[in-house]
Amino acid sequence: MGYATPAAPDLDVDLARARKLAYLLDAQFSLAGVQFGLDAIVGLVPVVGDTLTALAALYPIWVARRHNLGKTVQARMAVNVLMDWAAGLVPAVGDIIDVAYKSNLKNLKLLERAAERRRVK
C-alpha cells in the first residue's frame, strides 16, 4: 500500500490567508475616515486582548518560515508584533497606537516583498 506524499505548501494560498488576516486585524472597519480592525477592538481588553491579537499576528511569520523567505524578514515581522503588543499594554494610548501603527499590514508588506524576491530568483 503506497503513501501519498504531502503536497508542497502553496505560497499563494498562504499569502492570501495572510492578506485576509492583516486586513481583518488592521483595516476591516472605518469610522470617520479612519481604518481600524479587530486588533484595535480586541485590544480594548487589557493584556488578554493584545495577547490574543499578537498570537494571530504570528501567522505571517510562520508563513515566512514555512516558505524559507529569510530570517531577517521573520525578525523584522517579530519586532513589529512585539512593538504592537507592548504598546497595546498601555491603556487607551495603546489602542490609538494600534490604529495608527498597523503592524499586521506592515508585516503583510514585508511578507509580500520577500515572496516576490523569491519568485524573481
Side-chain angles (χ1 to χ4, degrees):
M1 184 174 256
Y3 293 98
T5 57
D10 188 339
L11 179 56
D12 290 327
V13 170
D14 287 342
L15 284 173
R17 287 183 186 135
R19 199 172 293 115
K20 286 179 186 176
L21 180 63
Y23 282 97
L24 178 67
L25 291 173
D26 282 350
Q28 184 70 39
F29 310 106
S30 180
L31 182 63
V34 177
Q35 285 190 314
F36 61 97
L38 289 180
D39 192 4
I41 296 168
V42 175
L44 291 171
V45 178
V47 183
V48 173
D50 293 300
T51 300
L52 289 174
T53 57
L55 290 172
L58 294 176
Y59 178 72
I61 299 171
W62 178 80
V63 170
R65 181 182 172 138
R66 182 179 195 201
H67 295 282
N68 298 313
L69 298 179
K71 291 190 186 287
T72 302
V73 170
Q74 293 172 51
R76 288 179 66 194
M77 289 192 292
V79 167
N80 283 336
V81 171
L82 183 61
M83 288 175 54
D84 184 53
W85 176 79
L89 295 177
V90 180
V93 174
D95 298 311
I96 293 168
I97 292 170
D98 271 342
V99 171
Y101 189 63
K102 300 191 185 314
S103 66
N104 297 290
L105 291 176
K106 288 179 188 294
N107 283 350
L108 175 63
K109 189 177 283 188
L110 289 169
L111 184 63
E112 287 176 333
R113 281 190 203 143
E116 189 57 37
R117 283 192 302 272
R118 158 66 77 68
R119 287 184 178 118
V120 169
K121 286 183 182 180

